[in-house]
Amino acid sequence: EGVIGDLRIVDTLVRTGLASDAVRLAAESRHWRELYVAAPVDEDPDAPVIEGYIDLAVLESGPDGPGLIIVDYKTDAVADDAERAAKAARYRLQGATYALAAERATGLPVRRVVLCFLAVDGATDVEVDDLPAAMAEVAAVARELSGRSTGT
């Protein structure tokens, strides 16, 4: 929407995204694009609900059974690795929200959240640091915002 004059850039970003490790894994696995997800943050029937649209969810087989990888595309302009890391830190709770909602909705563990930064010179995958802690922070913030400061 509103990118008619930027079609070459959009085409380049799409092509770099297709070459990223996370997207190549999705091409070889069961996956879902633009997946709406919503779930309560805990078992309490009055628990706050979190929701969002996951760009790409990949089902991964592992020694402990199936799990999910969540991929979120980012088109932020970044000058260097330090700026990319700073932007990834700002997106940490967004990725953790998707992970928490996906786990609660599917019963499958989310093994990692990958922020796929797209640029004309290539894509860079950055994993959300300490995903379990980030998910716990999301749950705590959701409870606090709903007036429920305690929960399971």
Side-chain angles (χ1 to χ4, degrees), residues 111-145:
R111 295 201 174 107
R112 54 192 177 112
V113 172
V114 177
L115 304 173
C116 184
F117 285 89
L118 306 176
V120 294
D121 61 344
T124 304
D125 291 343
V126 178
E127 285 193 34
V128 169
D129 291 335
D130 196 358
L131 185 57
M135 291 166 64
E137 187 176 346
V138 166
V141 168
R143 286 184 204 105
E144 182 179 323
L145 290 174

mmCIF file of all heavy atoms in Angstrom, residues 111-145:
data_model
loop_
_atom_site.group_PDB
_atom_site.id
_atom_site.type_symbol
_atom_site.label_atom_id
_atom_site.label_comp_id
_atom_site.label_asym_id
_atom_site.label_seq_id
_atom_site.Cartn_x
_atom_site.Cartn_y
_atom_site.Cartn_z
ATOM 1 N N ARG A 111 10.329 -22.344 20.147
ATOM 2 C CA ARG A 111 11.756 -22.544 20.390
ATOM 3 C C ARG A 111 12.563 -21.277 20.187
ATOM 4 O O ARG A 111 13.580 -21.074 20.841
ATOM 5 C CB ARG A 111 12.282 -23.661 19.495
ATOM 6 C CG ARG A 111 11.664 -24.994 19.844
ATOM 7 C CD ARG A 111 12.491 -26.150 19.365
ATOM 8 N NE ARG A 111 11.922 -27.383 19.856
ATOM 9 C CZ ARG A 111 11.263 -28.252 19.092
ATOM 10 N NH1 ARG A 111 11.130 -28.043 17.803
ATOM 11 N NH2 ARG A 111 10.757 -29.342 19.629
ATOM 12 N N ARG A 112 12.115 -20.456 19.241
ATOM 13 C CA ARG A 112 12.826 -19.189 19.028
ATOM 14 C C ARG A 112 11.967 -18.244 18.224
ATOM 15 O O ARG A 112 11.050 -18.658 17.516
ATOM 16 C CB ARG A 112 14.176 -19.400 18.369
ATOM 17 C CG ARG A 112 14.187 -20.153 17.106
ATOM 18 C CD ARG A 112 15.636 -20.552 16.704
ATOM 19 N NE ARG A 112 15.593 -21.343 15.514
ATOM 20 C CZ ARG A 112 16.059 -20.954 14.336
ATOM 21 N NH1 ARG A 112 16.634 -19.788 14.208
ATOM 22 N NH2 ARG A 112 15.963 -21.728 13.282
ATOM 23 N N VAL A 113 12.264 -16.964 18.385
ATOM 24 C CA VAL A 113 11.660 -15.904 17.590
ATOM 25 C C VAL A 113 12.794 -15.246 16.831
ATOM 26 O O VAL A 113 13.798 -14.835 17.428
ATOM 27 C CB VAL A 113 10.918 -14.871 18.470
ATOM 28 C CG1 VAL A 113 10.470 -13.676 17.634
ATOM 29 C CG2 VAL A 113 9.729 -15.518 19.170
ATOM 30 N N VAL A 114 12.622 -15.172 15.516
ATOM 31 C CA VAL A 114 13.643 -14.605 14.642
ATOM 32 C C VAL A 114 13.114 -13.317 14.038
ATOM 33 O O VAL A 114 12.054 -13.303 13.412
ATOM 34 C CB VAL A 114 14.017 -15.596 13.508
ATOM 35 C CG1 VAL A 114 15.027 -14.976 12.564
ATOM 36 C CG2 VAL A 114 14.526 -16.901 14.086
ATOM 37 N N LEU A 115 13.848 -12.238 14.241
ATOM 38 C CA LEU A 115 13.556 -10.972 13.574
ATOM 39 C C LEU A 115 14.389 -10.973 12.299
ATOM 40 O O LEU A 115 15.618 -11.018 12.357
ATOM 41 C CB LEU A 115 13.934 -9.791 14.469
ATOM 42 C CG LEU A 115 13.281 -9.787 15.848
ATOM 43 C CD1 LEU A 115 13.864 -8.681 16.711
ATOM 44 C CD2 LEU A 115 11.772 -9.657 15.735
ATOM 45 N N CYS A 116 13.719 -10.952 11.158
ATOM 46 C CA CYS A 116 14.396 -11.024 9.865
ATOM 47 C C CYS A 116 14.471 -9.610 9.289
ATOM 48 O O CYS A 116 13.489 -9.111 8.730
ATOM 49 C CB CYS A 116 13.650 -11.976 8.941
ATOM 50 S SG CYS A 116 14.437 -12.231 7.349
ATOM 51 N N PHE A 117 15.620 -8.958 9.484
ATOM 52 C CA PHE A 117 15.821 -7.602 8.980
ATOM 53 C C PHE A 117 16.152 -7.659 7.497
ATOM 54 O O PHE A 117 17.155 -8.252 7.088
ATOM 55 C CB PHE A 117 16.951 -6.910 9.750
ATOM 56 C CG PHE A 117 16.546 -6.474 11.130
ATOM 57 C CD1 PHE A 117 16.693 -7.323 12.212
ATOM 58 C CD2 PHE A 117 15.995 -5.221 11.335
ATOM 59 C CE1 PHE A 117 16.312 -6.936 13.478
ATOM 60 C CE2 PHE A 117 15.605 -4.812 12.606
ATOM 61 C CZ PHE A 117 15.770 -5.674 13.685
ATOM 62 N N LEU A 118 15.291 -7.047 6.676
ATOM 63 C CA LEU A 118 15.457 -7.056 5.234
ATOM 64 C C LEU A 118 16.121 -5.761 4.776
ATOM 65 O O LEU A 118 15.741 -4.678 5.207
ATOM 66 C CB LEU A 118 14.095 -7.197 4.552
ATOM 67 C CG LEU A 118 13.245 -8.382 5.000
ATOM 68 C CD1 LEU A 118 11.885 -8.332 4.316
ATOM 69 C CD2 LEU A 118 13.956 -9.692 4.709
ATOM 70 N N ALA A 119 17.098 -5.882 3.900
ATOM 71 C CA ALA A 119 17.784 -4.726 3.328
ATOM 72 C C ALA A 119 18.157 -5.064 1.895
ATOM 73 O O ALA A 119 18.210 -6.236 1.510
ATOM 74 C CB ALA A 119 19.043 -4.392 4.140
ATOM 75 N N VAL A 120 18.430 -4.046 1.097
ATOM 76 C CA VAL A 120 18.745 -4.289 -0.311
ATOM 77 C C VAL A 120 20.018 -5.110 -0.473
ATOM 78 O O VAL A 120 20.183 -5.795 -1.476
ATOM 79 C CB VAL A 120 18.841 -2.977 -1.111
ATOM 80 C CG1 VAL A 120 17.475 -2.297 -1.175
ATOM 81 C CG2 VAL A 120 19.875 -2.047 -0.532
ATOM 82 N N ASP A 121 20.889 -5.106 0.534
ATOM 83 C CA ASP A 121 22.130 -5.881 0.433
ATOM 84 C C ASP A 121 22.031 -7.246 1.118
ATOM 85 O O ASP A 121 23.019 -7.946 1.259
ATOM 86 C CB ASP A 121 23.311 -5.085 0.990
ATOM 87 C CG ASP A 121 23.151 -4.723 2.453
ATOM 88 O OD1 ASP A 121 22.031 -4.813 2.982
ATOM 89 O OD2 ASP A 121 24.164 -4.351 3.068
ATOM 90 N N GLY A 122 20.827 -7.647 1.539
ATOM 91 C CA GLY A 122 20.642 -8.963 2.129
ATOM 92 C C GLY A 122 19.795 -8.915 3.381
ATOM 93 O O GLY A 122 19.450 -7.854 3.884
ATOM 94 N N ALA A 123 19.471 -10.095 3.873
ATOM 95 C CA ALA A 123 18.676 -10.226 5.091
ATOM 96 C C ALA A 123 19.573 -10.677 6.232
ATOM 97 O O ALA A 123 20.521 -11.440 6.020
ATOM 98 C CB ALA A 123 17.553 -11.235 4.886
ATOM 99 N N THR A 124 19.249 -10.209 7.432
ATOM 100 C CA THR A 124 19.974 -10.625 8.625
ATOM 101 C C THR A 124 18.970 -11.112 9.650
ATOM 102 O O THR A 124 18.045 -10.386 10.028
ATOM 103 C CB THR A 124 20.785 -9.448 9.217
ATOM 104 O OG1 THR A 124 21.662 -8.928 8.218
ATOM 105 C CG2 THR A 124 21.591 -9.896 10.424
ATOM 106 N N ASP A 125 19.124 -12.362 10.093
ATOM 107 C CA ASP A 125 18.258 -12.935 11.114
ATOM 108 C C ASP A 125 18.846 -12.662 12.491
ATOM 109 O O ASP A 125 20.024 -12.937 12.732
ATOM 110 C CB ASP A 125 18.125 -14.446 10.922
ATOM 111 C CG ASP A 125 17.340 -14.822 9.682
ATOM 112 O OD1 ASP A 125 16.629 -13.961 9.129
ATOM 113 O OD2 ASP A 125 17.421 -15.993 9.261
ATOM 114 N N VAL A 126 18.022 -12.113 13.383
ATOM 115 C CA VAL A 126 18.432 -11.833 14.758
ATOM 116 C C VAL A 126 17.424 -12.503 15.680
ATOM 117 O O VAL A 126 16.223 -12.238 15.587
ATOM 118 C CB VAL A 126 18.476 -10.310 15.039
ATOM 119 C CG1 VAL A 126 18.855 -10.038 16.481
ATOM 120 C CG2 VAL A 126 19.414 -9.601 14.076
ATOM 121 N N GLU A 127 17.898 -13.379 16.555
ATOM 122 C CA GLU A 127 16.999 -14.050 17.490
ATOM 123 C C GLU A 127 16.715 -13.171 18.699
ATOM 124 O O GLU A 127 17.602 -12.454 19.176
ATOM 125 C CB GLU A 127 17.608 -15.370 17.963
ATOM 126 C CG GLU A 127 17.538 -16.445 16.912
ATOM 127 C CD GLU A 127 17.840 -17.829 17.452
ATOM 128 O OE1 GLU A 127 17.490 -18.112 18.620
ATOM 129 O OE2 GLU A 127 18.433 -18.605 16.692
ATOM 130 N N VAL A 128 15.483 -13.255 19.189
ATOM 131 C CA VAL A 128 15.113 -12.561 20.421
ATOM 132 C C VAL A 128 15.901 -13.195 21.558
ATOM 133 O O VAL A 128 15.891 -14.415 21.731
ATOM 134 C CB VAL A 128 13.596 -12.653 20.663
ATOM 135 C CG1 VAL A 128 13.241 -12.184 22.066
ATOM 136 C CG2 VAL A 128 12.848 -11.853 19.613
ATOM 137 N N ASP A 129 16.595 -12.348 22.308
ATOM 138 C CA ASP A 129 17.403 -12.815 23.438
ATOM 139 C C ASP A 129 16.511 -13.273 24.590
ATOM 140 O O ASP A 129 15.485 -12.656 24.881
ATOM 141 C CB ASP A 129 18.301 -11.687 23.962
ATOM 142 C CG ASP A 129 19.405 -11.331 22.983
ATOM 143 O OD1 ASP A 129 19.791 -12.186 22.176
ATOM 144 O OD2 ASP A 129 19.869 -10.180 23.035
ATOM 145 N N ASP A 130 16.935 -14.345 25.256
ATOM 146 C CA ASP A 130 16.279 -14.865 26.462
ATOM 147 C C ASP A 130 14.763 -14.856 26.313
ATOM 148 O O ASP A 130 14.033 -14.185 27.059
ATOM 149 C CB ASP A 130 16.721 -14.073 27.691
ATOM 150 C CG ASP A 130 16.392 -14.804 28.984
ATOM 151 O OD1 ASP A 130 15.793 -15.907 28.930
ATOM 152 O OD2 ASP A 130 16.720 -14.271 30.054
ATOM 153 N N LEU A 131 14.297 -15.630 25.342
ATOM 154 C CA LEU A 131 12.863 -15.665 25.029
ATOM 155 C C LEU A 131 11.987 -16.000 26.229
ATOM 156 O O LEU A 131 10.963 -15.332 26.437
ATOM 157 C CB LEU A 131 12.611 -16.624 23.860
ATOM 158 C CG LEU A 131 11.189 -16.678 23.331
ATOM 159 C CD1 LEU A 131 10.699 -15.306 22.885
ATOM 160 C CD2 LEU A 131 11.102 -17.682 22.195
ATOM 161 N N PRO A 132 12.312 -16.995 27.062
ATOM 162 C CA PRO A 132 11.440 -17.267 28.223
ATOM 163 C C PRO A 132 11.271 -16.048 29.136
ATOM 164 O O PRO A 132 10.161 -15.774 29.613
ATOM 165 C CB PRO A 132 12.150 -18.412 28.939
ATOM 166 C CG PRO A 132 12.940 -19.098 27.864
ATOM 167 C CD PRO A 132 13.400 -17.988 26.957
ATOM 168 N N ALA A 133 12.335 -15.309 29.377
ATOM 169 C CA ALA A 133 12.227 -14.118 30.224
ATOM 170 C C ALA A 133 11.387 -13.042 29.545
ATOM 171 O O ALA A 133 10.590 -12.356 30.207
ATOM 172 C CB ALA A 133 13.613 -13.579 30.563
ATOM 173 N N ALA A 134 11.548 -12.890 28.255
ATOM 174 C CA ALA A 134 10.765 -11.900 27.518
ATOM 175 C C ALA A 134 9.278 -12.263 27.553
ATOM 176 O O ALA A 134 8.414 -11.391 27.720
ATOM 177 C CB ALA A 134 11.264 -11.791 26.084
ATOM 178 N N MET A 135 8.969 -13.552 27.420
ATOM 179 C CA MET A 135 7.572 -13.997 27.483
ATOM 180 C C MET A 135 6.982 -13.754 28.869
ATOM 181 O O MET A 135 5.825 -13.337 29.000
ATOM 182 C CB MET A 135 7.478 -15.461 27.076
ATOM 183 C CG MET A 135 7.773 -15.680 25.600
ATOM 184 S SD MET A 135 8.066 -17.408 25.142
ATOM 185 C CE MET A 135 6.493 -18.159 25.498
ATOM 186 N N ALA A 136 7.762 -13.996 29.907
ATOM 187 C CA ALA A 136 7.303 -13.731 31.271
ATOM 188 C C ALA A 136 7.053 -12.238 31.470
ATOM 189 O O ALA A 136 6.085 -11.850 32.141
ATOM 190 C CB ALA A 136 8.327 -14.249 32.283
ATOM 191 N N GLU A 137 7.900 -11.418 30.879
ATOM 192 C CA GLU A 137 7.710 -9.964 30.977
ATOM 193 C C GLU A 137 6.424 -9.536 30.282
ATOM 194 O O GLU A 137 5.677 -8.702 30.796
ATOM 195 C CB GLU A 137 8.919 -9.240 30.375
ATOM 196 C CG GLU A 137 8.877 -7.749 30.576
ATOM 197 C CD GLU A 137 10.126 -7.040 30.071
ATOM 198 O OE1 GLU A 137 11.153 -7.703 29.804
ATOM 199 O OE2 GLU A 137 10.062 -5.803 29.931
ATOM 200 N N VAL A 138 6.144 -10.097 29.120
ATOM 201 C CA VAL A 138 4.896 -9.788 28.409
ATOM 202 C C VAL A 138 3.697 -10.149 29.274
ATOM 203 O O VAL A 138 2.754 -9.362 29.412
ATOM 204 C CB VAL A 138 4.839 -10.532 27.053
ATOM 205 C CG1 VAL A 138 3.429 -10.510 26.472
ATOM 206 C CG2 VAL A 138 5.824 -9.928 26.067
ATOM 207 N N ALA A 139 3.714 -11.331 29.860
ATOM 208 C CA ALA A 139 2.599 -11.762 30.711
ATOM 209 C C ALA A 139 2.419 -10.811 31.893
ATOM 210 O O ALA A 139 1.291 -10.428 32.224
ATOM 211 C CB ALA A 139 2.818 -13.194 31.185
ATOM 212 N N ALA A 140 3.519 -10.419 32.505
ATOM 213 C CA ALA A 140 3.443 -9.510 33.653
ATOM 214 C C ALA A 140 2.884 -8.147 33.242
ATOM 215 O O ALA A 140 2.036 -7.581 33.948
ATOM 216 C CB ALA A 140 4.824 -9.351 34.284
ATOM 217 N N VAL A 141 3.327 -7.637 32.120
ATOM 218 C CA VAL A 141 2.831 -6.337 31.638
ATOM 219 C C VAL A 141 1.344 -6.431 31.302
ATOM 220 O O VAL A 141 0.562 -5.543 31.652
ATOM 221 C CB VAL A 141 3.654 -5.853 30.420
ATOM 222 C CG1 VAL A 141 2.985 -4.663 29.737
ATOM 223 C CG2 VAL A 141 5.066 -5.487 30.847
ATOM 224 N N ALA A 142 0.929 -7.519 30.643
ATOM 225 C CA ALA A 142 -0.485 -7.688 30.301
ATOM 226 C C ALA A 142 -1.346 -7.746 31.553
ATOM 227 O O ALA A 142 -2.416 -7.131 31.611
ATOM 228 C CB ALA A 142 -0.675 -8.943 29.448
ATOM 229 N N ARG A 143 -0.871 -8.482 32.572
ATOM 230 C CA ARG A 143 -1.622 -8.557 33.829
ATOM 231 C C ARG A 143 -1.709 -7.189 34.494
ATOM 232 O O ARG A 143 -2.766 -6.793 34.999
ATOM 233 C CB ARG A 143 -0.973 -9.556 34.775
ATOM 234 C CG ARG A 143 -1.192 -10.993 34.398
ATOM 235 C CD ARG A 143 -0.600 -11.941 35.464
ATOM 236 N NE ARG A 143 -0.305 -13.222 34.867
ATOM 237 C CZ ARG A 143 0.911 -13.654 34.571
ATOM 238 N NH1 ARG A 143 1.971 -12.930 34.828
ATOM 239 N NH2 ARG A 143 1.070 -14.837 34.009
ATOM 240 N N GLU A 144 -0.579 -6.488 34.504
ATOM 241 C CA GLU A 144 -0.560 -5.160 35.132
ATOM 242 C C GLU A 144 -1.509 -4.195 34.427
ATOM 243 O O GLU A 144 -2.266 -3.471 35.062
ATOM 244 C CB GLU A 144 0.874 -4.608 35.111
ATOM 245 C CG GLU A 144 1.010 -3.247 35.793
ATOM 246 C CD GLU A 144 2.432 -2.756 35.775
ATOM 247 O OE1 GLU A 144 3.365 -3.567 35.919
ATOM 248 O OE2 GLU A 144 2.618 -1.537 35.606
ATOM 249 N N LEU A 145 -1.483 -4.195 33.109
ATOM 250 C CA LEU A 145 -2.347 -3.300 32.342
ATOM 251 C C LEU A 145 -3.817 -3.639 32.523
ATOM 252 O O LEU A 145 -4.681 -2.771 32.404
ATOM 253 C CB LEU A 145 -1.977 -3.330 30.864
ATOM 254 C CG LEU A 145 -0.640 -2.698 30.505
ATOM 255 C CD1 LEU A 145 -0.308 -2.929 29.028
ATOM 256 C CD2 LEU A 145 -0.627 -1.208 30.844
#
